[in-house]
Amino acid sequence: MTDRPIDTVSVALGPRSYEVRIGSGLIARAGAEIAPLLHRPRVAVLTEEQVAALHLDALQAGLAADGITMQALALRPGEATKSWPHLARAVEWLLEMRVERGDVVVALGGGVIGDLAGFAAAILRRGVRYVQVPTTLLAQVDSSVGGKTGINTAQGKNLVGAFHQPSRVLADIDVLETLPHRDFLAGYGEVVKYGLLGDAVFFAWLEAKGPSLAAGDPALRQEAVRRSVAMKAAIVSRDETETGERALLNLGHTFGHALEAATGYSDRLLHGEGVAIGCQLAFDLSARLGLCPQEAPGRLATHLQTMGMKRRLAEIPGDLPDADALIALMAQDKKVVDGRMRFVLSRDIGAAFVTDAVPRKSLGAFLDEALGAQ
Ligand code: GLY
């Protein structure tokens, strides 16, 4: 706990507006944060086993401090949990716990739990409210905010889901101390994404502060989460269901999702690592197509290297499929419109844009080269 004030970022969506609270000690005061949302003093918590071992007792104590009781279901950790069988288990458990329409579900975990619990809440009794308590950097800066919920299927990632906004997000900076360094850096990939897509000043701030932030400085971590969430909140408020501008948040994701699929959604490549490599590829491709100055991908590469992050395909362990197979995986992405692949490219750091005008031949040659550099 510190004396540092808690930051509040509002996601302005009319009657579905909510606050993202960011700071130290938020799990310890979860009861006070959640109580105003409750009709009766009980919540159902969906979490996963590793997170439960680290943080569930603290959440229980934080809720109990305000007289709120909880029941919890801890699912298996890992991306495989974002699937039909675990969704069914979660929904049936919530029904067994007699969660009513007016109750609140709490998602305690990273992106997998947040997406799964949010989707379970979206379909339970045609929609109950939920609170996100994200426990990874990736979930704090991205997946817990904006209401994208869902599961993966054999056909691809996040292909089944719903837009269902949380009623509150509690991003407790203290939990980041328990994150393995690799997971922290993977989440940092999404932080860098915000600077790259629309805020060159933030990117320069990350260049200066990134190493201290990764080393554990809590004030810098809070500021990085606040600025990332503020950017996401502003974009989501203008384009909740991704009819336009929200697609910019997918910078690095078309390449990243294909790489995740190619590596079997395994430990070979974490989601945020795929996003960082994907951002580098998007900037390299932008420069190659003459859309952005060569200095921009160079600056990004230097920053990722300084941070000790993967940035090249060669840094992914094991073999990768060839360019044609990677392009086929990209074509399965949700971002395909009328059969045309859409890319988020950039005119410079902080100046991303969406385009479907990348010639298939140029893309193939670019990927051949990127793979050849392995
Ligand atoms: N993660 C991208 C989005 O929420 O739109």
Side-chain angles (χ1 to χ4, degrees):
M1 291 262 208
T2 69
D3 293 337
R4 219 172 38 254
I6 291 170
D7 289 310
T8 303
V9 175
S10 296
V11 184
L13 287 167
R16 282 166 294 102
S17 299
Y18 55 96
E19 289 183 346
V20 183
R21 304 267 289 152
I22 303 157
S24 184
L26 276 163
I27 289 184
R29 47 171 286 116
E33 295 285 332
I34 293 174
L37 302 171
L38 302 182
H39 294 307
R40 53 178 177 163
R42 53 171 282 197
V43 293
V45 179
L46 289 172
T47 185
E48 49 98 324
E49 289 153 7
Q50 282 172 4
V51 168
L54 290 167
H55 305 301
L56 194 58
D57 287 349
L59 179 64
Q60 185 158 28
L63 292 166
D66 276 70
I68 301 167
T69 59
M70 59 159 243
Q71 282 148 320
L73 174 66
L75 299 167
R76 239 181 286 152
E79 189 74 29
T81 295
K82 249 177 82 170
S83 59
W84 288 115
H86 291 91
L87 176 70
R89 178 153 177 239
V91 168
E92 283 171 14
W93 178 79
L94 291 169
L95 290 171
E96 281 160 20
M97 292 301 114
R98 302 189 184 283
V99 173
E100 296 177 4
R101 198 98 190 259
D103 288 334
V104 167
V105 172
V106 174
L108 175 71
V112 166
I113 287 298
D115 286 9
L116 179 94
F119 191 32
I123 58 178
L124 185 78
R125 301 189 192 278
R126 299 205 175 89
V128 302
R129 293 166 304 147
Y130 71 113
V131 170
Q132 291 269 19
V133 185
T135 57
T136 62
L137 180 59
L138 188 135
Q140 292 191 350
V141 298
D142 185 37
S143 57
S144 68
V145 180
K148 279 190 181 174
T149 72
I151 56 169
N152 306 325
T153 65
Q155 289 74 17
K157 223 171 133 79
N158 298 329
L159 293 180
V160 174
F163 285 102
H164 185 48
Q165 299 293 341
S167 296
R168 181 160 275 220
V169 182
L170 304 178
D172 189 330
I173 297 299
D174 300 340
V175 303
L176 301 179
E177 283 167 27
T178 63
L179 264 192
H181 191 60
R182 183 178 177 197
D183 291 310
F184 184 88
L185 285 186
Y188 186 79
E190 294 278 2
V191 175
V192 172
K193 178 193 82 176
Y194 287 105
L196 293 174
L197 77 88
D199 190 344
V201 174
F202 184 40
F203 184 79
W205 185 85
L206 291 171
E207 286 178 311
K209 310 285 186 195
S212 313
L213 189 160
D217 185 314
L220 292 178
R221 287 179 169 194
Q222 182 166 335
E223 180 61 3
V225 174
R226 185 193 68 76
R227 288 173 84 153
S228 301
V229 169
M231 245 177 110
K232 178 152 189 182
I235 292 173
V236 168
S237 297
R238 292 191 291 264
D239 179 22
E240 182 182 10
T241 56
E242 200 171 310
T243 53
E245 186 189 3
R246 185 166 180 170
L248 294 177
L249 295 173
N250 297 324
L251 175 63
H253 284 63
T254 302
F255 289 116
H257 280 172
L259 293 171
E260 276 185 274
T263 49
Y265 303 105
S266 67
D267 256 14
R268 279 175 66 197
L269 187 73
L270 304 179
H271 172 71
E273 293 172 339
V275 170
I277 295 173
C279 285
Q280 183 70 61
L281 289 170
F283 270 78
D284 289 344
L285 179 59
S286 302
R288 188 188 172 107
L289 294 174
L291 299 167
C292 101
Q294 191 58 52
E295 294 72 40
R299 218 174 127 189
L300 173 57
T302 302
H303 183 53
L304 296 180
Q305 198 171 8
T306 305
M307 296 298 292
M309 295 165 70
K310 295 184 176 72
R311 62 188 170 83
R312 289 182 295 121
L313 296 178
E315 288 162 303
I316 302 171
D319 291 334
L320 288 176
D322 65 14
D324 285 340
L326 280 179
I327 292 171
L329 289 169
M330 285 182 211
Q332 175 63 268
D333 205 83
K334 287 189 301 312
K335 293 173 276 299
V336 173
V337 177
D338 297 334
R340 289 177 73 89
M341 270 191 278
R342 285 193 305 162
F343 288 86
V344 186
L345 297 183
S346 207
R347 294 197 178 84
D348 207 339
I349 286 179
F353 66 98
V354 179
T355 178
D356 63 2
V358 177
R360 167 74 178 69
K361 225 173 128 189
S362 312
L363 179 63
F366 168 74
L367 281 173
D368 273 338
E369 212 171 277
L371 286 161
Q374 290 212 77

